[in-house]
Amino acid sequence: MEGVDHLAHERNRSQFDVNDMKIVWAGSREAFEVSDRMSRLVANDPAFRKDNRVHLTRKELFKNTLRKAAYAWKKIIELKLSEEEAGRLRFFVDEPAYTDLHWGMFVPFLKGQGTEEQLQKWLPLAYKMQIIGCYAQTELGHGSNVQWLETTATFDPKTDEFWWPGGLGKVSTHAVVFARLITNGRDYGVHGFIVQIRSLDDHSVLPGITIGDIGVKFGNGAYNTMDNGVMHFDHIRIPRNQLLMRFSQVTREGKYVQSDVPRQLVYGTMVYVRKTIVIDASNALSRAVCIATRYSAVRRQFGSQDGVETQVINYKTQQSRLFPLLASAYAFRFVGEWLQWLYTDVTQRLAANDFSTLPEAHACTAGLKSITTAATADGIEECRKLCGGHGYLCSSGLPELFAVYVPACTYEGDNVVLLLQVARFLVKTVSQLVSGKKPVGTTAYMGRLQHLMESTCKVQKAEDWLNPSIVLEAFEVRSARMSVECAKRLSQFTNQEEGFHELSPSLVEAAVAHCQLIIVAKFIEKLQGDIPGNGVKDQLQKLCSIYALFTLHKHLGDFLSTSTITPKQASLADDQLRSLYAQVRPNAVALVDAFNYTDHYLGSILGRYDGNVYPNLYDEAWKDPMNDTAVPDGYHEYIKPLLKQQLRNSRL
Ligand SMILES: CCCCCCCCCCCC(=O)SCCNC(=O)CCNC(=O)[C@H](O)C(C)(C)COP(=O)(O)OP(=O)(O)OC[C@H]1O[C@@H](n2cnc3c(N)ncnc32)[C@H](O)[C@@H]1OP(=O)(O)O
Ligand SMILES: Cc1cc2nc3c(=O)[nH]c(=O)nc-3n(C[C@H](O)[C@H](O)[C@H](O)COP(=O)(O)OP(=O)(O)OC[C@H]3O[C@@H](n4cnc5c(N)ncnc54)[C@H](O)[C@@H]3O)c2cc1C
């Protein structure tokens, strides 16, 4: 029945204050207030309707996205929204669009790479959306290997194909273009340029440039709202001052001047976007977990006692699949908060020409982007399976969420390629120990290598696994021993690069171990701080233990093969995990309510706040255009003749 809360019994069981948890999830009371207001503004405006997307053709879908993006922009101006409010409004509109790349990459690149003079020219145009930008780095033949991009920009003291860039296909008027800078006959490698690609008068493509959409992508709706594009340059000319010259310049005479900064600063936007992708992983995973948790509390199947079937959320297998994902959503939230701090810190240091934490920032953003997106993509699919058959319906919200999310494992750096960057960073850290260099930041634990190599796990009973110091040490020991083992095997190769490639699968596993340690450590650090709210900290401690012990269980091979723990201690960890699932069970629905997602944003019949699934699932079916007529199109051409023929045959 409408208006009845079918999950009230679940909400009444919770042992903490959901409103207090909402503040912790949002990061602050102010952040919660902005998010709550923007999500309701979007949910209550029919212009932002999204339940019809699956029935639109690609062109209708794209035009609908342009309409929404323009309407959102009008709202932002009309309501004089702040940058934060505007960002949250676009987030809740929930539609990949060219604006993601304009605000998410084009503007940050300009801000990070332009000179003061260039910023004064281009930023006001970009902020007022008088130009629309995209980020054109990936070519048909190269995406991961940026150093081998083939587009060239040759300085002509007298007077250059991209593939994938979002927003490029149909909308962008300008592009940040990556090309090899050649001047005075010398190739200075990849640099960033700003290039106008369409007329600001009639949007026609400028001469010497060919632009198109790269075609339909994975899944219905999904990322097809975005005009990922293809672009070909044929000897176009741009003014010298459209080389973004904050870190390197070309003089009027064509002389190349490189300021004494690491060349990798040209990659700065990728570090920034990888950081936002980690935060976005917690958004996407929490959304899937919210749907699967509420539906698991509604769904009953088998196991009847006094004539009432069992809620599937009470099955231990359902809990062992669902609750680690719930814990991961919170874990990624908090590591994302820390990564935001790290990024801000490194940016401040760069401004003071202090490049000391740049390698750490690169390794952390690359590694955490990789493991949080992989876990989130797998987690969304697991949430679909946790919802049984109904999870496969678009009205569950899960298929489209999966289809929109999975490219995160590829864009902004293929996950394996990025983990190999972390592996290089770890191997380098271990090798520098010999020379006495003290590791700092997230590798500081390597400074206690002697202890970690000799340490034995102190767990004797299941409850010992609730001790954060014991858990943290186990993850440090596992990671340190895997890195040292790789470094040792690598040292047996005369050609280090050859050794690195030969051992790369093991190196990737060591990189994963290090990144999982960071997530566990940051969750524990979060809990050592002040966590306001009734019962909130207690719940988060349970989720932290679940994240750590589930990760340990999933990677048991590492922990046993490095002798970090014994089989007995592994079994005690399982016992503790099951006990934690039972403790989280009465709080599960309240823990997902704390994400404060509107039904509009969830876009899921299964995840409705009121849990009134079946009547709404049934009604939704009839809305499908397939049910416009009882007799389907094609009956008279293909079914009627067949049935008649079969009837005649049967009488012969
Ligand atoms: C709202 C959310 C949703 C957001 C919505 C988003 C919508 C979708 C957006 C997607 C947009 C895109 O995909 S844009 C395109 C994204 N493309 C990528 O991410 C390309 C991935 N590839 C790369 O980043 C690079 O090619 C590498 C890192 C793999 C290799 O670079 P390389 O130049 O060959 O460097 P390499 O020889 O390996 O290393 C040389 C030295 O540089 C260092 N180094 C390498 N990269 C960096 C770096 N970024 N910062 C600092 N340092 C670095 C290395 O550690 C090493 O240090 P040392 O050892 O010498 O000390
Ligand atoms: C939805 C979407 C949006 C995108 N938006 C943009 C955009 O706006 N702008 C932009 O410039 N680009 C964009 N891209 C492109 C994206 O950045 C690249 O696809 C990404 O960087 C991966 O590069 P690649 O395609 O060359 O993969 P490849 O590197 O070719 O990967 C193919 C396989 O090779 C493996 N591999 C590659 N190198 C190594 C190695 N050294 N060692 C071991 N294995 C290796 C990879 O792990 C992978 O399994 C987008 C891509 C997608 C899917």
Side-chain angles (χ1 to χ4, degrees), residues 100-101 104-105 135 137-138 143-147 166 223 226 263-265 267-268 270-271 273-274 276-277 280 358-359 361-362 365 410-414 417-418 421 424-425 428:
D100 296 345
L101 278 301
M105 294 204 77
Y135 183 91
Q137 177 178 296
T138 302
S144 289
N145 191 352
V146 178
Q147 282 314 309
Y223 220 86
M226 174 80 79
R263 73 170 171 80
Q264 286 83 9
L265 287 183
Y267 290 168
M270 292 191 277
V271 174
V273 178
R274 288 168 192 157
T276 55
I277 289 174
D280 194 55
L358 189 59
H362 168 48
T365 48
T410 306
Y411 61 54
E412 217 52 60
D414 165 86
V417 168
L418 294 182
Q421 286 288 305
R424 288 185 187 281
F425 175 70
K428 193 171 185 180

Side-chain angles (χ1 to χ4, degrees), residues 312-327:
V312 298
I313 198 169
N314 289 336
Y315 288 120
K316 291 299 179 191
T317 48
Q318 193 85 353
Q319 292 176 9
S320 69
R321 293 157 62 197
L322 176 61
F323 291 167
L325 298 177
L326 172 60

Side-chain angles (χ1 to χ4, degrees), residues 305-368:
Q305 275 116 20
D306 48 62
V308 179
E309 286 186 277
T310 297
Q311 289 170 283
V312 298
I313 198 169
N314 289 336
Y315 288 120
K316 291 299 179 191
T317 48
Q318 193 85 353
Q319 292 176 9
S320 69
R321 293 157 62 197
L322 176 61
F323 291 167
L325 298 177
L326 172 60
S328 299
Y330 277 88
F332 297 171
R333 191 67 161 191
F334 300 140
V335 80
E337 275 181 6
W338 170 77
L339 203 54
Q340 177 62 52
W341 169 84
L342 180 74
Y343 180 78
T344 307
D345 179 73
V346 76
T347 306
Q348 285 162 355
R349 289 167 183 266
L350 292 181
N353 276 343
D354 168 0
F355 308 111
S356 59
T357 57
L358 189 59
E360 157 110 333
H362 168 48
C364 289
T365 48
L368 291 170

